[in-house]
Amino acid sequence: MPLPLPPAALDALVARLRGAGCVFAEDEAALLAAEAADPEALERMTARRVAGEPLEQVVGWAEFRGLRVAVAPGVFVPRARTALLVREALGVLPAVGTVVDLCCGSGAVGLALATERPGTRLWAADLDPAAVACARVNLGGRGEVLLGDLDAPLPGVLAGQVDVLVANAPYVPTAEIAHMPTEARDHEPRAALDGGADGVDLHRRIAALAPRWLRPGGHLLIETSVRQAGSTAAACEGQGMVVHVVHDDDLDGTVVVARRRDAAS
């Protein structure tokens, strides 16, 4: 139940958030009041938000495709644009399919796929122990969550058996991290942001490993940016895959979709 705040106290909270640079101060104030158990908790949460911590880490969850996804402090916060990655993956995922989610973070992508396609067999992996712990909470037994770098922890039995491999790998060029908003730069792990000199280092690695895991005709989907889509697509084409790029203006999302050729093609 929302913490009841007198109008003057709510106005003061909104002003405090707006002064800290929160663009949607009214909405954030309402959410903080809804999540706080008492005035002392509200003050602690407000102080964290004013100091620049992401709202989702402060309240402990993020909304993603209608799901409430737990987000622990220091874990990458799911972005709305990543809904495009889920949408495109659902478009090529069989009713009973096998999915690998690399750089899974909180597990939001895998959770959405397993929820919207209940027959999904899911493996997720991340190299950050905090993210893996968070993803295990979110998936709640609906998939295996493994700790390790990219595909290193995947069981060998999956080789050549994966229908869809999804990756929201970091794609911010190293030099641009310093110019990101403080809530990302200072409160999300650098490994979840840093994509190397041109932002495509991890995409190249994922494109190179994908053919080992995908079944013939299986798909690799990588979230990227408009600026980097060409380089991401080229990395996939270099591995012999058939590639197209999808962009959604409303979500401000871009996804490279690559299909492993089957024997006939």
Side-chain angles (χ1 to χ4, degrees):
M1 183 175 180
L3 183 67
L5 289 180
L10 182 59
D11 289 345
L13 177 57
V14 170
R16 189 175 171 189
L17 292 168
R18 185 174 290 116
C22 300
V23 176
F24 303 104
E26 291 84 357
D27 294 338
E28 294 199 12
L31 182 56
L32 289 169
E35 294 294 324
D38 51 49
E40 291 75 19
L42 178 60
E43 172 55 33
R44 289 193 298 271
M45 294 166 71
T46 302
R48 289 171 61 192
R49 180 61 181 136
V50 167
E53 191 169 345
L55 178 66
E56 295 84 357
Q57 292 180 4
V58 172
V59 300
W61 62 277
E63 189 279 331
F64 183 72
R65 282 185 72 92
L67 299 170
R68 184 168 169 140
V69 179
V71 180
V75 174
F76 183 80
V77 176
R79 276 37 167 190
R81 70 174 69 94
T82 305
L84 180 62
L85 183 65
V86 174
R87 189 185 82 193
E88 294 302 310
L90 288 169
V92 296
L93 179 62
V96 179
T98 299
V99 172
V100 167
D101 178 11
L102 297 183
C103 305
C104 71
S106 66
V109 171
L111 176 62
L113 291 172
T115 301
E116 299 181 46
R117 195 63 55 80
T120 298
R121 298 179 294 258
L122 174 67
W123 279 260
D126 201 287
L127 55 69
D128 180 8
V132 167
C134 194
R136 285 174 176 159
V137 169
N138 283 317
L139 288 171
R142 280 178 281 188
E144 296 290 332
V145 186
L146 308 172
L147 176 65
D149 182 33
L150 295 183
D151 65 336
L154 296 179
V157 70
L158 287 178
Q161 302 300 313
V162 176
D163 295 292
V164 171
L165 194 161
V166 292
N168 182 14
Y171 53 90
V172 179
T174 303
E176 295 183 15
I177 292 176
H179 306 294
M180 295 184 72
T182 183
E183 59 188 39
R185 184 183 69 238
D186 296 340
H187 296 280
E188 293 181 317
R190 188 180 180 95
L193 304 173
D194 192 344
D198 65 352
V200 191
D201 281 2
L202 271 293
H203 295 181
R204 294 187 183 97
R205 290 181 60 197
I206 292 167
L209 65 83
R212 176 189 175 194
W213 301 102
L214 291 174
R215 64 166 177 79
H219 288 79
L220 166 65
L221 298 95
I222 303 177
E223 178 175 314
T224 187
S225 68
V226 170
R227 186 179 71 178
Q228 293 153 315
S231 296
T232 303
C236 296
E237 289 169 344
Q239 299 299 319
M241 291 184 276
V242 180
V243 179
H244 68 277
V245 177
V246 179
H247 179 76
D248 187 304
D249 286 330
D250 292 333
L251 290 171
D252 189 28
T254 304
V255 172
V256 168
V257 181
R259 178 178 60 84
R260 181 186 168 191
R261 299 176 189 271
D262 53 32
S265 59

